[in-house]
């Protein structure tokens, strides 16, 4: 099947090509219309999944249907996002309409929540909270659930707050599915294929704040035993994730870099006079820093193969300056003066590193990638043999989704997300280490890999069904010609299938007929559970109005 996964983070759309229901009755009417007209219907959340997983066939969110009269209905729930609070005794609940974003969505349609208008802000205003959030909070609540997303914690799970899910099936019938209902396990991760989620009811808990620390360390001597079983002085990666209430790692595995940023947090009581001191991914001038990183990764690094392998320092400097000037020209911009104490120092350092490169050991590209990453990812200072910890404290709703700081336009990232059993963390990390060492930049890429945990899930199609998971997310910068699912990601899929890896449904998936395709996914899920989910799907949507070509292929429907 053709690749349709590479443009997912550039969320261009025209609202005029979507239906915008304002009530459940209007949602039901759309479903009945689709059924009567043999049309396909899909619902867009915040488009943080690959495009083909979101929309109907024969549809472009920016241009509309591929041809006049296409029998497709694409729905946007930006006008259906109300919230209702209730209380039973001392326990608080909220019922959320499916289009409500968890947090703010800066690139959503015109009436979606702006800053301070998401579900989390409404909860915080009442002194209430959710147990966990993902790395971002732009998603709608329905989208977050439908794809099996989760927070970076073994101890705290978003799904533990779900009391019931109301879904309108393919017959136009609303169904309330409580956690005591046998169908609840199948409904929790439904991919939009059991029906359209109408509302979700959540059990809430008292508001809390986060206190934690972050530190950038060399992988070989960091305070976590990344590749072993741990000892009296260092915990294993598995134990670190099990003991930390919330945690994640960002790993730069490139030769000569091999740095890891550790982020760890725990809950604390919000006391009078408390003030936040947030974690910052970009400490100084975040807009300019992200613009600079994007410029390097999309305009400079793709040209690295053109630099002569035996370049002298002077030749390397000339090449760098010409490349930067050419990159600006490609963007239709005039290059800034390529001189000055800061820029000259950077270019001089890079040129000297390139001139010192021994082509038989490190390629020019490897050297330049190494030096550029070191510019952006600085090691924490060491005192008495230990790396410094930079402390932070923040609200639960800003501190947990710390990747909200990444601007989708400045830092458009593509990635696949593989979930392996957490108890296999040591062998998986050793396999990754060997894979990176053997493959060089072809294996490591030029960006980071995120490594973090997920709690066990009760949902049939969840990648964490059956136990807690270790998540591996190799990142790639988006470019017009980027199709990492056709090359770069395949190495990770083949490697991690040996360790019972499962896929996050919203991210890049392998080809349906490949060795990690539909048959593999069925086996990893468990054939009995998988087939039971499919059987329920056929009952709830007998006319297959929710089934796109993409999901028909990837689930063998």
């Amino acid at each position: 099947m053709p690749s349709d996964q590479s443009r997912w983070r550039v969320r261009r759309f025209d609202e005029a090509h979507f239906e915008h229901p304002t009530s459940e009755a209007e949602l039901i009417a759309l479903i009945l219309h689709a059924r009567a007209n043999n049309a396909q219907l899909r619902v867009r959340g915040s488009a943080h999944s690959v495009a083909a997983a979101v929309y109907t066939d024969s549809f472009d969110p920016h241009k509309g249907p591929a041809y006049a009269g296409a029998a497709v209905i694409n729905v946007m729930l930006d006008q259906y996002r109300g919230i209702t609070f209730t209380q039973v005794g001392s326990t608080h609940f909220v019922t959320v309409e499916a289009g409500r974003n968890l947090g703010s969505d800066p690139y959503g349609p015109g009436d979606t929540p702006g800053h301070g208008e998401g579900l989390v802000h409404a909860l915080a205003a009442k002194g209430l909270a959710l147990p966990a959030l993902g790395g971002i909070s732009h998603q709608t609540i329905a989208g977050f659930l439908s794809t099996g997303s989760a927070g970076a914690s073994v101890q705290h799970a978003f799904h533990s707050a779900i009391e019931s899910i109301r879904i309108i099936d393919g017959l136009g019938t609303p169904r309330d599915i409580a956690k005591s209902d046998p169908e609840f396990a199948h409904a929790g991760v439904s991919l939009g294929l059991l029906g359209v989620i109408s509302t979700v009811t959540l059990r809430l808990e008292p508001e809390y704040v986060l206190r934690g620390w972050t530190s950038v360390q060399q992988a070989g001597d960091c305070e976590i035993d990344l590749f072993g079983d741990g000892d009296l002085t260092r915990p294993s990666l598995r134990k670190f994730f099990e003991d930390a209430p919330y945690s994640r790692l960002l790993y730069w595995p490139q030769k000569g870099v091999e740095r890891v940023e550790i982020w760890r947090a725990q809950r604390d009581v919000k006391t009078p006079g408390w003030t936040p001191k947030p974690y910052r991914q970009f400490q100084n001038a975040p807009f300019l820093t992200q613009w600079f990183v994007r410029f390097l990764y999309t305009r400079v690094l793709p040209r690295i193969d053109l630099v002569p392998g035996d370049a002298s320092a002077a030749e390397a400097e000339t090449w760098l300056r010409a490349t930067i000037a050419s990159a600006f020209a490609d963007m239709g911009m005039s290059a800034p003066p390529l001189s000055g104490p800061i820029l000259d120092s950077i270019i001089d350092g890079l040129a000297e590193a390139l001139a010192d490169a021994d082509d038989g050991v490190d390629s020019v590209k490897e050297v330049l990638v190494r030096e550029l990453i070191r510019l952006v990812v600085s090691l924490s200072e060491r005192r008495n043999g230990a790396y410094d910890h930079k402390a932070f404290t923040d609200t639960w709703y800003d501190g947990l989704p710390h990747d909200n700081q990444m601007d989708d336009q400045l830092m458009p990232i593509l990635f696949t997300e593989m979930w392996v059993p957490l108890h296999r963390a040591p062998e998986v990390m050793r396999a990754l280490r060997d894979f990176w060492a053997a493959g060089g930049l072809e294996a490591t890429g030029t960006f980071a890999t995120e490594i973090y945990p997920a709690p066990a899930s009760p949902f049939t199609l969840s990648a964490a069904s059956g136990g807690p998971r270790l998540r591996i997310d190799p990142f790639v910068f988006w470019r017009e010609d980027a199709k990492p699912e056709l090359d770069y990601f395949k190495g990770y899929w083949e490697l991690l299938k040996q360790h019972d890896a499962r896929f996050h449904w919203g991210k890049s998936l392998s080809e349906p007929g490949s060795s990690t395709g539909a048959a593999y996914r069925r086996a990893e899920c468990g054939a009995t559970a998988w087939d039971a989910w499919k059987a329920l799907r056929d009952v709830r949507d007998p006319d297959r109005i929710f089934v796109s070509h993409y999901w028909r292929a990837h689930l063998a429907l």
Side-chain angles (χ1 to χ4, degrees), residues 393-409:
T393 181
D394 207 347
T395 61
W396 65 274
Y397 55 86
D398 281 334
L400 291 175
H402 40 64
D403 286 337
N404 282 349
Q405 300 173 48
M406 300 277 282
D407 187 297
D408 281 358
Q409 302 300 327

Side-chain angles (χ1 to χ4, degrees), residues 15 18-31 41-44 73-82 97-100 111 168 196-198:
E15 295 178 43
F18 292 82
E19 298 293 332
H20 301 265
T22 63
S23 66
E24 184 176 88
E26 291 182 10
L27 261 176
I28 292 172
L30 286 171
I31 292 171
L41 183 148
R42 298 286 298 169
V43 178
R44 176 199 190 275
I73 300 172
N74 285 271
V75 179
M76 193 177 284
L77 297 178
D78 55 309
Q79 302 299 314
Y80 187 62
R81 51 190 184 85
E97 291 178 349
R100 171 67 67 166
D111 291 333
I168 308 168
V196 176
I197 293 178
S198 177

Side-chain angles (χ1 to χ4, degrees), residues 292 317 320-321 324 337-353 371-372 375:
F292 176 66
E317 179 178 346
L320 279 167
R321 291 182 184 276
I324 292 172
L338 295 179
S339 61
I342 296 178
L343 191 55
D344 277 345
S345 175
I346 291 173
I347 291 180
D348 287 348
L350 293 174
E352 290 175 8
E371 297 302 321
L372 288 173
L375 280 176

Side-chain angles (χ1 to χ4, degrees), residues 160-177:
S160 67
I162 303 172
E163 289 292 305
S164 65
I165 306 171
R166 184 172 173 87
I167 299 181
I168 308 168
D169 67 19
L171 303 175
T173 304
R175 298 179 179 276
D176 289 302
I177 306 171

Side-chain angles (χ1 to χ4, degrees), residues 10 34 96 118 132 177 236 362 368 461 490 514 528:
V10 183
V96 189
I177 306 171
S236 66
D362 295 326
L368 191 52
L461 290 192
K490 283 187 175 181
S514 69
T528 300

